[in-house]
Amino acid sequence: LICFRTAVPALRRAGDHLWLQRVLSNRAIAHGYRHEFTAAEADLHEAESLCRELDLDLSLAIVQQNLGWVYAVKGDVPGALHYFDLAERYFRALNTHQLGWLLNDRSELLLSVHLVAEAREAAEEAVAEHERMNRRIAVPEVRLLVAQTAALDGEPGRAVDQANRAMREFNRQQRPRWATLARFVVLRARLAGDPRSGVAVAQMERA
């Protein structure tokens, strides 16, 4: 934030609106993580205006996705869905890899308010989209979300399958912490499907 505070006035003085909107977008995310929502929204709305002024459709869609994320973090679900919908139209028209991450964000938001079936639909579409765009690094994270939604949606078998696949993918990517999380989801889904599945308390504790 200190660096951003230095950069923004310099970019304004130089009239460099392209880089100004980029810095404002990034600063807004930092504000969002600090739950400084008014500041985050102000930066993003200014970035949004600059994107329109410069005809930057992809950057505009990313700004709208980030606005959706800020609204989601502060608990405004209708506001978040509104901005996710705006961003989605651009991402689909531009055929960009960003669509997969947007669908992931939407799934997490829907899951947070227990709209499980809709969350699962978004997560499954996100996996398909990442695979279509060959974004393999992103697939297991979203696959794990599919597993979590499937378990809550009453399909523990699919949850176990997807979490196991995610675990193998994380291991191939040498991401042991994520693989551990996937293993925990496997155990929890097995237990949800059948309390006599042989999952021991000690296994859960270790995971």
Side-chain angles (χ1 to χ4, degrees):
L1 279 171
I2 291 168
C3 292
F4 290 146
R5 288 190 196 109
T6 303
V8 166
L11 291 168
R12 289 194 200 282
R13 286 194 301 271
D16 190 341
H17 290 173
L18 177 62
W19 272 98
L20 178 60
Q21 70 84 15
R22 290 173 177 168
V23 171
L24 289 170
S25 295
N26 288 331
R27 187 171 72 173
I29 293 169
H31 283 311
Y33 277 120
R34 291 162 61 93
H35 288 198
E36 296 164 350
F37 300 124
T38 300
E41 289 173 50
D43 278 353
L44 286 170
H45 284 305
E46 184 178 355
E48 187 179 26
S49 296
L50 290 168
C51 287
R52 293 186 191 280
E53 178 187 312
L54 299 169
D55 292 324
L56 300 173
D57 287 349
L58 179 57
S59 295
L60 174 60
I62 292 170
V63 167
Q64 290 171 336
Q65 180 181 1
N66 288 337
L67 274 164
W69 173 77
V70 168
Y71 275 73
V73 173
K74 75 174 187 175
D76 183 343
V77 176
L81 290 173
H82 167 70
Y83 280 109
F84 286 160
D85 286 347
L86 292 178
E88 182 180 357
R89 288 187 207 125
Y90 280 105
F91 288 149
R92 288 193 184 279
L94 296 167
N95 193 30
T96 172
H97 70 268
Q98 287 288 140
L99 177 59
W101 287 118
L102 174 67
L103 292 166
N104 181 82
D105 286 352
R106 177 181 286 140
S107 177
E108 289 180 343
L109 174 66
L110 292 168
L111 190 57
S112 76
V113 290
H114 306 289
L115 294 173
V116 176
E118 292 175 61
R120 180 178 173 184
E121 182 181 345
E124 289 180 338
E125 188 180 358
V127 169
E129 186 62 26
H130 282 310
E131 289 179 335
R132 185 180 75 85
M133 299 298 289
N134 202 29
R135 302 285 293 179
R136 296 292 173 184
I137 191 72
V139 169
E141 290 181 39
V142 190
R143 196 184 301 286
L144 195 56
L145 191 55
V146 172
Q148 291 168 317
T149 56
L152 292 170
D153 206 21
E155 289 196 38
R158 178 155 175 80
V160 169
D161 171 68
Q162 290 296 296
N164 267 318
R165 289 184 65 181
M167 183 168 60
R168 291 193 296 270
E169 289 164 342
F170 285 131
N171 282 325
R172 282 198 296 272
Q173 293 175 357
Q174 298 181 16
R175 300 167 71 186
R177 294 181 183 182
W178 279 95
T180 300
L181 178 59
R183 174 162 175 71
F184 176 73
V185 174
V186 169
L187 294 171
R188 190 169 59 181
R190 282 175 54 195
L191 197 58
D194 180 6
R196 296 168 295 180
S197 62
V199 175
V201 173
Q203 285 178 285
M204 298 293 285
E205 286 178 340
R206 278 197 303 274

